[in-house]
Amino acid sequence: MTQPASPPRPGDIRKVPPVDRTPGPWRTVTARADVRTLSLLGVLAALILIGGITKPDEFLDTRNLQLVLTQASVIGVVTVGMTFVITSGGIDLSVGAIVALASVWATTVATQDFGFAGVLFTAVLVGVGCGLVNGLLIAYGAMVPFIATLAMLASARGLALQITDGKTQIVDIDSILKLGERDSYVLGVPPLVMVFAVVTIIGWLLLNRTTFGRRTVAVGGNAEAARLAGIDVRRQRLYLYLLSGLCCGIAAFLLIILSGSGQNTNGNLYELDAIAAAIIGGTLLSGGRGTIVGSVLGVLIFTTITNIFALNNLQSDVQQIAKGAIIVAAVLVQRRTASTT
């Protein structure tokens, strides 16, 4: 029979196996995410410093800072939805056109007869409807996301032009117009910024703390492996484009509040700005990794650059060149990071 182990005696020295302190992959990814976030915060701080030096009285004015945050809110909501789509390995080129279509459809005379709720409901419904079409074509129609959303871009822009006949549709609902006035600010924070903050928080929780977020990352990392693991890849992609459409509908309503009108030119180049903000924020264009915080910082960086250029009377073409250079640099950094993983 096996003798039971004797209890340790005083003075006995027992070897304790060494503890493996090598950082795991998740800890490594988290550390890199922290570095990216700090880097983006550094860039944003540098831009604020530049704006404060070049135009101290105008840039640092409270109203100008409120304007920057308000302008960032509209494209920021779109970017949150775009982050989910790109994380899944997809792309959505139609977000700007969907914003335009939702804004003009929600500001027709017939829609405004239903008041505040009618305008909001119509904007969200049009956005979700366009997202549904995109999702069905891509998930169940096996169309390439680039082609499907490019078709939606052309169709939505054309329909928006047909609805407006090239004219601006003025909003005459007081409850909507008042949300864009300073009297509606809460502790100096515009309502649009508060909506953007809520969408950001919900997006962060959805991506980082739910099964939906984990499935999104899995589909973007390896769709076939995700399917073998039991994830309904097609349904997940459909949900993601529905989410993107929902964000476009919300952004359209915010744009209606901001401009007090609906125009077929609304949302021009939003798709490029949203993709660029997500990429420089750390979301992989190839899918498999996404960050809501990084995307929001990317939006703030681009909006701040635009504001600084406008205050210094620099031409728009210079702004586009600067944005292009930032996008190229961000992609190169991503490739370098991926090659060292």
Side-chain angles (χ1 to χ4, degrees):
M1 296 179 61
T2 305
Q3 296 295 329
S6 58
R9 299 177 181 177
D12 283 355
I13 299 177
R14 294 180 179 269
K15 292 184 178 181
V16 179
V19 179
D20 184 9
R21 300 185 180 277
T22 305
W26 178 252
R27 189 172 298 177
T28 303
V29 170
T30 304
R32 287 178 178 172
D34 292 340
V35 171
R36 282 195 305 270
T37 302
L38 291 175
S39 300
L40 292 172
L41 287 173
V43 172
L44 184 59
L47 289 173
I48 294 175
L49 181 62
I50 293 172
I53 293 175
T54 56
K55 292 287 183 178
D57 296 333
E58 300 175 29
F59 180 79
L60 297 178
D61 183 71
T62 303
R63 294 194 176 189
N64 182 65
L65 296 178
Q66 290 172 336
L67 176 62
V68 171
L69 291 175
T70 301
Q71 292 175 339
S73 299
V74 180
I75 184 63
V77 172
V78 176
T79 304
V80 170
M82 181 69 78
T83 301
F84 279 88
V85 172
I86 296 179
T87 302
S88 71
I91 198 73
D92 192 347
L93 300 179
S94 64
V95 290
I98 294 175
V99 169
L101 179 59
S103 68
V104 300
W105 205 323
T107 54
T108 60
V109 176
T111 304
Q112 292 192 52
D113 287 341
F114 292 94
F116 184 100
V119 173
L120 174 59
F121 178 78
T122 302
V124 172
L125 183 62
V126 172
V128 173
C130 292
L132 176 63
V133 174
N134 281 337
L136 290 175
L137 290 175
I138 294 168
Y140 294 94
M143 287 188 67
V144 178
F146 181 90
I147 301 299
T149 57
L150 185 62
M152 176 59 72
L153 183 155
S155 302
R157 282 289 178 193
L159 185 55
L161 179 59
Q162 186 178 43
I163 292 174
T164 60
D165 195 22
K167 300 176 182 178
T168 300
Q169 298 178 165
I170 304 300
V171 177
D172 58 4
I173 301 175
D174 291 338
S175 56
I176 292 179
L177 298 176
K178 287 181 179 179
L179 291 176
E181 299 175 356
R182 295 184 60 84
D183 293 339
S184 64
Y185 291 8
V186 179
L187 300 177
V189 180
L192 275 70
V193 178
M194 291 188 286
V195 172
F196 176 37
V198 171
V199 172
T200 299
I201 293 172
I202 294 175
W204 185 88
L205 292 173
L206 195 61
L207 184 61
N208 296 280
R209 292 292 184 268
T210 66
T211 303
F212 181 86
R214 290 191 290 271
R215 288 175 178 172
T216 300
V217 174
V219 170
N222 191 321
E224 181 60 20
R227 186 187 67 82
L228 294 175
I231 297 175
D232 191 332
V233 175
R234 293 189 299 178
R235 186 173 60 185
Q236 184 70 17
R237 284 175 175 162
L238 174 61
Y239 289 162
L240 290 167
Y241 282 95
L242 282 172
L243 178 61
S244 179
L246 173 63
C247 290
C248 289
I250 296 173
F253 184 72
L254 297 182
L255 194 56
I256 291 171
I257 296 174
L258 184 62
S259 62
S261 63
Q263 305 176 50
N264 66 287
T265 56
N266 282 343
N268 188 33
L269 296 181
Y270 272 20
E271 56 277 355
L272 299 183
D273 289 342
I275 293 171
I279 291 174
I280 71 169
T283 300
L284 281 181
L285 191 58
S286 57
R289 187 184 73 199
T291 163
I292 298 296
V293 174
S295 296
V296 170
L297 291 175
V299 169
L300 292 176
I301 287 173
F302 275 134
T303 308
T304 304
I305 290 175
T306 302
N307 183 260
I308 292 174
F309 278 41
L311 291 178
N312 286 276
N313 297 319
L314 296 176
Q315 298 179 355
S316 59
D317 55 350
V318 181
Q319 298 180 30
Q320 299 303 324
I321 293 173
K323 288 182 179 180
I326 292 174
I327 295 171
V328 171
V331 172
L332 290 176
V333 169
Q334 281 192 1
R335 292 184 60 182
R336 183 178 180 86
T337 303
S339 63
T340 57
T341 304

